[in-house]
Amino acid sequence: MLDFFTIFSKGGIVLWCFQGAGVTESFTGPVNALIRSVILQERSGNNSFTHEALSLKYKLDNEFELIFVVGFQKILTLTYVDKFIDDVQLHFRDRYKNELEQKGALKLLNNSFEFENDFKMLLREAEDSSKARSPAPMRSFKQSEKSQKTVKSMIETKGGDKGKEQGGKKNKNTKKEGEVFSLFPGVKCFYLLMFDHNILIFCFLPCSKSPKPQKPREKQMRVWDMGGNSTKDLDYSERNGDGSTNGGEQNQEAQIDLVCTILSSPLRYASCAVKKCSALLVFLSSKKGGGFGGMFGMLKGLVGSKSLSQEDMEPVLEKMRDHLIAKNVAADIASQLCDSVAKKLEGKVMGTFTTVASTVKQALQDSLVQILQPKRRVDILRDVMEAQSQRRPFVITFCGVNGVGKSTNLAKISYWLIENGFTVLIAACDTFRAGAVEQLRTHQRRLNSLHPPEKHGGRPVVQLYEKGYGKDAAGIAMEAIAYARNQAFDVVLVDTAGRMQDNAPLMTALAKLIAVNMPDLVLFVGEALVGNEAVDQLVKFNQALADHSMSDKPRLIDGIVLTKFDTIDDKVGAAISMTYITGQPIVFVGTGQTYNDLRSLNARAVVSALMKA
């Protein structure tokens, strides 16, 4: 039933593998595709992946840095796979725990992991349990809830006494602000306040018995002794109206000299110097029921290591998700990123003095940098030189929605190529928008004035190829490429009409242009001001290119030009959304209106601006 099962480290060392009977094809192709497309691109929020005819399920073990992958035919429905891969992970960890704790690639290579018998036993148990499950029999009418309904239950209104009774229930462990209670024997605690799922408690060590509620003070009637004239009896300076001493316990508690050092740990605390008693200022994380948890849980959080769970990370991830959305990251992308970070950190052992928030934030920063960094080499100048050696022009096609700055940034890239010593032919394939050809002609004239033909052997460094309006864009692009080949131009820049992603006729025309001419590079021009719209644009542009292509492997978007980047301050989330949805790099960033305002993307600077509060 299973084609393969493999266990390997995140460093790439295969510890153990299994291949099903009759399976001759190697599983390295699907596993490498999983690593490239999912794990390296921080898309591990979902634990399934499809590669050609195979379905792959995987599980990350973050404590020992292991990856468990199982593969089977896509047409099969194996209900036991999820539980099976969990069982294999637990058995493998328990059996080779000592070997896995030894860090280092050489130590992993030297160890032999004999796991075949255990694996076959677990596989047999999983298959038997799936066969033993029979569909649940249909219930009779008497067994259903509908048969229990009476006329009285149907007449009874909702939200009556029953609802009040449920809504009015309170947890016994819930404390009121200012309440004095005993957390554990010998410790008197003063509950201060609760905020954002955190409880602030002041504990005094040692203390007397549980305090009794004090009666309101009343002025006591003074009794004068007729026969007494002792000055000691008449001295009331050290006594108040109720006969208690002024320097009592309450005033001592009020005269606390707090000299604290807050330690950044899962259970934050501060030791405080107090007159005549010791104190401990404790921040407890409240549970859903409002209780305080046990003393051992407190000590475990205070010292020693802690394994991260989904419940620990959920409040922090929720805040991170809202922060990303506020920085212009698309809502779906923000949720997928946070889910991926949760999968990446779940089960990972956290240091003693490391908070959950700092751990999650650092993991999210690393993921964002990994997303923005190119997955493949993007070196246009080198590719142009390689095309020169083959005696053909290097063709770049620009596409995008209306008004994002395709023609302006095409002119900037023309200037950049001319500065690097290449000749450029601009193909005016926007035959729809009025003034599009004239705009390109103006750019051509200005670029030739900056680089006069006299300095280049009397030949203009940039020329415009246009056939007017209303013509077929794919035919004009084909003629321009042939003209560039005959005239020995180095680069052809194809300008296309702006189109909305929902306009089917124009999207079909764009797909035809790309399919017929097969450019070397397809750049999507998008503006940095968009949020959720960026995802919709890129998905539908890629989908249109795939649907209307005539080849088995259609040409999709190869890179992104992000415009108007100077207008968004630190709301740089569009860069994350566009890169994440396509998996393609941001090649250029437009930062102004002049020809020099073209930059390459600095991934760490963008992530720093994105994470800034």
Side-chain angles (χ1 to χ4, degrees):
M1 299 290 281
L2 300 181
D3 282 29
F4 68 88
F5 195 107
T6 180
I7 305 171
F8 57 94
S9 69
K10 289 187 178 180
I13 301 173
V14 178
L15 306 183
W16 183 85
C17 63
F18 162 83
Q19 202 154 4
V23 179
T24 56
E25 295 182 1
S26 174
F27 58 83
T28 55
V31 173
N32 287 334
L34 171 70
I35 294 171
R36 284 194 304 267
S37 304
V38 178
I39 297 173
L40 291 181
Q41 295 191 23
E42 303 294 339
R43 300 170 188 266
S44 54
N46 187 9
N47 65 340
S48 60
F49 175 71
T50 302
H51 178 76
E52 296 178 354
L54 289 178
S55 286
L56 277 68
K57 293 270 189 178
Y58 63 93
K59 186 173 181 62
L60 305 180
D61 188 327
N62 296 305
E63 184 177 354
F64 295 114
E65 302 290 329
L66 299 179
I67 302 174
F68 297 78
V69 182
V70 59
F72 53 93
Q73 292 297 316
K74 190 164 56 176
I75 60 173
L76 299 178
T77 304
L78 304 182
T79 57
Y80 61 85
V81 170
D82 291 328
K83 184 178 182 305
F84 173 64
I85 198 170
D86 291 340
D87 294 341
V88 171
Q89 180 209 10
L90 293 175
H91 277 73
F92 191 82
R93 282 168 49 105
D94 293 342
R95 179 165 179 177
Y96 296 107
K97 185 175 181 180
N98 295 331
E99 288 86 346
L100 294 172
E101 285 177 346
Q102 298 174 358
K103 303 295 182 183
L106 290 176
K107 294 181 179 179
L108 287 176
L109 285 171
N110 293 332
N111 288 321
S112 59
F113 298 92
E114 299 294 335
F115 193 64
E116 187 169 357
N117 293 331
D118 292 352
F119 176 81
K120 289 182 177 179
M121 179 194 69
L122 292 171
L123 180 60
R124 195 180 309 113
E125 290 177 357
E127 290 177 344
D128 292 343
S129 64
S130 67
K131 292 176 183 176
R133 291 178 191 167
S134 58
M138 185 180 297
R139 293 182 300 173
S140 64
F141 177 74
K142 291 183 179 180
Q143 294 173 332
S144 65
E145 296 179 0
K146 189 178 291 186
S147 65
Q148 307 299 325
K149 286 187 177 181
T150 61
V151 175
K152 182 180 177 182
S153 65
M154 295 172 69
I155 296 175
E156 189 176 12
T157 58
K158 295 182 179 179
D161 296 337
K162 187 176 181 181
K164 289 181 181 177
E165 186 178 1
Q166 290 179 350
K169 286 184 179 179
K170 291 187 178 179
N171 199 307
K172 295 180 181 179
N173 293 328
T174 304
K175 305 296 179 184
K176 297 180 180 179
E177 293 188 10
E179 183 178 348
V180 179
F181 61 96
S182 179
L183 185 61
F184 41 86
V187 179
K188 182 178 70 176
C189 298
F190 184 73
Y191 184 83
L192 295 182
L193 73 158
M194 177 176 176
F195 60 96
D196 193 19
H197 300 287
N198 290 315
I199 301 171
L200 177 61
I201 302 173
F202 212 159
C203 302
F204 294 94
L205 306 170
C207 68
S208 59
K209 296 180 181 179
S210 300
K212 298 178 181 179
Q214 296 181 354
K215 296 180 180 179
R217 295 182 182 179
E218 298 178 358
K219 186 175 182 181
Q220 302 294 327
M221 185 171 58
R222 184 168 295 179
V223 180
W224 297 93
D225 297 329
M226 298 297 292
N229 56 359
S230 172
T231 57
K232 184 177 180 181
D233 295 335
L234 297 176
D235 185 6
Y236 292 93
S237 61
E238 294 184 358
R239 283 182 287 175
N240 54 20
D242 60 354
S244 62
T245 58
N246 278 332
E249 182 182 354
Q250 184 178 0
N251 288 337
Q252 287 179 4
E253 292 175 3
Q255 296 172 358
I256 297 173
D257 179 20
L258 295 178
V259 183
C260 310
T261 303
I262 305 295
L263 299 181
S264 176
S265 66
L267 179 62
R268 295 174 288 169
Y269 69 95
S271 298
C272 310
V274 185
K275 294 183 179 179
K276 297 189 178 180
C277 67
S278 300
L280 188 67
L281 188 62
V282 183
F283 294 85
L284 289 177
S285 178
S286 66
K287 306 294 182 184
K288 292 181 179 179
F292 297 104
M295 181 179 176
F296 292 104
M298 292 171 54
L299 294 176
K300 185 179 178 182
L302 188 62
V303 293
S305 58
K306 177 174 171 47
S307 181
L308 281 174
S309 65
Q310 186 72 30
E311 290 76 16
D312 296 331
M313 295 182 286
E314 188 58 37
V316 182
L317 288 172
E318 192 64 35
K319 291 181 181 178
M320 291 291 180
R321 186 180 295 109
D322 295 341
H323 177 78
L324 291 175
I325 294 173
K327 291 297 180 102
N328 231 10
V329 179
D332 291 342
I333 304 300
S335 299
Q336 292 175 33
L337 278 170
C338 291
D339 292 344
S340 177
V341 169
K343 288 277 187 183
K344 186 178 177 181
L345 291 178
E346 190 174 4
K348 191 171 185 178
V349 176
M350 193 173 62
T352 303
F353 298 112
T354 307
T355 61
V356 177
S358 63
T359 304
V360 172
K361 185 176 180 181
Q362 185 60 47
L364 184 60
Q365 279 185 325
D366 295 342
S367 298
L368 292 173
V369 171
Q370 185 71 25
I371 289 168
L372 288 175
Q373 286 178 341
K375 310 300 179 298
R376 59 181 180 82
R377 179 182 61 84
V378 180
D379 191 344
I380 294 178
L381 298 179
R382 182 174 176 178
D383 292 340
V384 172
M385 293 171 63
E386 186 176 347
Q388 274 183 330
S389 64
Q390 299 173 7
R391 297 182 180 277
R392 66 175 183 86
F394 186 81
V395 182
I396 304 176
T397 298
F398 295 81
C399 61
V401 300
N402 307 78
V404 294
K406 291 184 297 300
S407 300
T408 303
N409 284 275
L410 180 146
K412 291 180 184 179
I413 294 174
S414 299
Y415 179 76
W416 175 69
L417 290 168
I418 294 167
E419 287 285 318
N420 283 279
F422 299 113
T423 55
V424 178
L425 179 67
I426 300 175
C429 295
D430 184 355
T431 62
F432 182 77
R433 176 173 63 91
V437 176
E438 287 76 14
Q439 182 184 5
L440 292 176
R441 187 176 288 116
T442 302
H443 282 304
Q444 176 214 4
R445 188 167 56 250
R446 291 195 60 190
L447 289 169
N448 281 325
S449 65
L450 293 172
H451 290 271
E454 295 78 17
K455 295 183 179 180
H456 298 275
R459 180 185 178 183
V461 291
V462 56
Q463 289 187 27
L464 177 67
Y465 189 91
E466 53 94 6
K467 291 293 183 180
Y469 296 98
K471 304 292 193 306
D472 179 40
I476 294 174
M478 182 181 292
E479 293 175 10
I481 294 170
Y483 179 79
R485 185 181 291 109
N486 294 332
Q487 299 297 321
F489 280 93
D490 300 322
V491 184
V492 178
L493 303 181
V494 180
D495 184 33
T496 62
R499 63 206 74 207
M500 296 306 294
Q501 63 271 21
D502 298 320
N503 192 324
L506 287 178
M507 293 304 297
T508 305
L510 176 64
K512 175 188 173 185
L513 185 149
I514 293 174
V516 168
N517 295 286
M518 292 302 292
D520 297 286
L521 194 63
V522 179
L523 295 181
F524 177 85
V525 184
E527 58 184 4
L529 301 171
V530 295
N532 290 315
E533 186 70 9
V535 177
D536 189 52
Q537 290 173 5
L538 281 164
V539 167
K540 290 188 175 177
F541 264 81
N542 264 336
Q543 190 63 45
L545 295 179
D547 291 343
H548 300 101
S549 177
M550 293 172 286
S551 64
D552 295 334
K553 294 183 178 180
R555 284 297 307 278
L556 303 179
I557 293 170
D558 299 317
I560 299 166
V561 178
L562 200 58
T563 66
K564 307 176 186 178
F565 205 72
D566 54 321
T567 63
I568 56 171
D569 194 25
D570 60 348
K571 296 185 184 297
V572 294
I576 298 293
S577 301
M578 291 183 177
T579 310
Y580 189 88
I581 202 67
T582 60
Q584 302 300 337
I586 294 176
V587 183
F588 294 110
V589 174
T591 58
Q593 295 296 316
T594 67
Y595 291 135
N596 289 315
D597 294 327
L598 194 69
R599 302 284 184 272
S600 58
L601 188 73
N602 187 336
R604 297 197 176 273
V606 170
V607 172
S608 178
L610 191 67
M611 299 303 293
K612 187 170 65 174

